[in-house]
Amino acid sequence: MTWLEDYQQRISYQNTKDFLQDYKDSNTFLITDKNLLNFYHKEITKFNYYSILPGEESKTLEQINIILERLLQLKYSRDVTIIAFGGGIVCDMAGFISAIFKRGCKLALIPTSLIAMVDASIGGKNGVNSQDYKNQFGTIKQADKINIDSTLLASLPQDEVANGMAEVIKHGLLASESYYKKAISFSKTELSDNNKYAFEDLIKESIAIKLSFVAGDEDDKGQRRYLNFGHTLGHAIEKIYQIPHGRAVLWGMLKACQLSYKLGFLPKDLFVKIESDLLKLNTFDTSIINWEKISQALLSDKKREGQGITFILLQDFAKPVIVNLDLDTIKNLLREND
C-alpha cells in the first residue's frame, strides 16, 4: 500500500455522532472551542474535554501548556487519543499537542469548518503563533483518523463558508483549470440542503489535490511548498489586521498573481481572467495597508530563505513556480495596485 492509499483510508465521511460513538468507551481527550461546546454540549460532555476561546488569540504556547498540564493531571498515558472537534485553530492545536505529549500519541480530527476540512485537517502540518507572528512553532504529525461531515457546515454563517473557499480556489489554481472553474462557481453559491452533497464532492476533490502535493513530501521541502501559494502575504495581513485566514489568503493569491504577471511568468490574458475572478471575491480593504508593517512580518515569515522572501508564483494553471524575491521588489511591484 502506498503512502497516499494509506492516508486516504484514514479519512471517513460519517455523521459526527456515529464517528464519536466509536470513541465513547476508549481512552480519549477531546479539544474543542466554546461555541461548539454550546452547540454540541451533549456530544462533547460525554468525554473528558477542554474548550478554548474561539480565535487566533488562543493559538499560543501558553494555551498549549495549560492543556498539556490538564492531560497530566488526568493521568493520561501515551496511549490516549486526542480528538479535535473544531475549526482550523482547534485542529492545529490538537495536532501540536498529540505530537509532543509523551513524545507522541494518537490523533483524531473532526473539522467543523470548510477551511479545516480542505486544509487544516489534511497533511499533518500544525502550529501555534508567537506573540507577533503566525505559526512560528509547530510540528508535522499525521492524524490517525479524519472525519469529514459536510452536514456540520450547515450551522456556519455564509461568510465562514466563503472563508473556506479561498483554499479550494487555491487548489484549483495549483492543480486543475476545470476544478478552479468549479470552485469559482461554488464560491457564488450558498450552502443549503439542496447542494450539500455537491459541496461534499467538492471537498473530496480538494482533499485529493492537497494530498497529491503532500505525498512524498511530508516535510515540506519540495512540491508541498507550492501549497503556500497566497500564504506569504496572506499570513502577514492576517496577523497584522486580524482578518480571517481565508480572506487573507485570497488577497495573498491576488497579489501573487499580480507579481506573476509583472515578473513575466503569467500571460496577460490569463492574469486578467484570474484577477477579475479574485477581485470579485476579495473583501480586504487595501486602503489600510501599511507596507512597513507587512515588510516586518515578511522578514519573520517561517518560509524566508537567506536575504529574500520565498514566493509561490504561477505560470499557468497547474504550473506553480518557486521564486526568491527581495523586499524592495515586492513592495515596488505591488504598491501600484493598491
Side-chain angles (χ1 to χ4, degrees), residues 117-335:
M117 291 178 185
V118 299
D119 186 46
S121 67
I122 305 297
K125 284 171 68 173
N126 52 72
V128 294
N129 304 330
S130 69
Q131 182 175 343
D132 298 313
Y133 301 110
K134 187 174 170 68
N135 290 341
Q136 294 295 296
F137 318 115
T139 65
I140 295 179
K141 171 70 162 66
Q142 301 298 348
D144 298 277
K145 295 287 184 182
I146 304 164
N147 189 65
I148 308 295
D149 179 1
S150 59
T151 64
L152 293 173
L153 299 177
S155 62
L156 292 178
Q158 184 58 31
D159 61 347
E160 187 56 37
V161 176
N163 186 47
M165 285 304 300
E167 293 286 353
V168 176
I169 290 168
K170 180 193 78 176
H171 292 158
L173 286 169
L174 292 176
S176 165
E177 182 176 3
S178 62
Y179 185 72
Y180 168 79
K181 290 178 179 177
K182 187 188 300 185
I184 291 295
S185 176
F186 267 82
S187 68
K188 304 168 187 174
T189 305
E190 290 195 16
L191 177 64
S192 68
D193 285 339
N194 293 330
N195 64 9
K196 63 185 178 184
Y197 294 113
F199 263 90
E200 183 172 298
D201 288 340
L202 189 81
I203 291 167
K204 288 179 179 178
E205 195 169 349
S206 192
I207 289 171
I209 288 172
K210 178 166 185 179
L211 286 177
S212 72
F213 284 100
V214 176
D217 186 28
E218 288 183 79
D219 294 331
D220 206 19
K221 306 292 185 184
Q223 66 178 13
R224 183 173 185 166
R225 299 167 73 196
Y226 293 138
L227 293 170
N228 290 321
F229 179 66
H231 285 63
T232 305
L233 282 167
H235 276 171
I237 67 162
E238 180 181 358
K239 186 66 177 177
I240 295 169
Y241 299 108
Q242 302 295 301
I243 65 174
H245 179 73
R247 285 179 57 199
V249 167
L250 186 74
W251 180 82
M253 290 192 294
L254 177 60
K255 293 300 169 184
C257 286
Q258 289 170 353
L259 281 174
S260 300
Y261 168 61
K262 291 185 176 185
L263 290 170
F265 291 102
L266 194 60
K268 183 176 181 179
D269 58 341
L270 185 54
F271 164 66
V272 169
K273 168 59 179 167
I274 296 173
E275 183 186 46
S276 174
D277 289 337
L278 299 186
L279 281 173
K280 290 173 185 174
L281 300 172
N282 178 55
T283 57
F284 177 61
D285 179 8
T286 59
S287 68
I288 66 175
I289 285 178
N290 180 319
W291 277 103
E292 295 313 311
K293 288 184 178 179
I294 289 177
S295 295
Q296 288 305 307
L298 291 178
L299 288 172
S300 298
D301 192 285
K302 61 184 182 298
K303 297 179 288 298
R304 181 185 173 197
E305 295 181 358
Q307 297 303 308
I309 308 298
T310 301
F311 262 82
I312 309 302
L313 302 182
L314 277 187
Q315 301 174 89
D316 198 346
F317 288 106
K319 286 188 178 180
V321 59
I322 298 174
V323 178
N324 198 264
L325 301 173
D326 63 79
L327 272 175
D328 287 340
T329 298
I330 296 166
K331 288 191 290 184
N332 292 336
L333 288 177
L334 293 182
R335 269 176 165 161

Side-chain angles (χ1 to χ4, degrees), residues 68-86:
L68 289 169
E69 291 292 341
R70 179 65 177 154
L71 287 164
L72 292 175
Q73 290 168 3
L74 292 171
K75 310 295 184 187
Y76 278 109
S77 61
R78 67 177 302 176
D79 62 352
V80 65
T81 296
I82 304 296
I83 301 175
F85 182 43

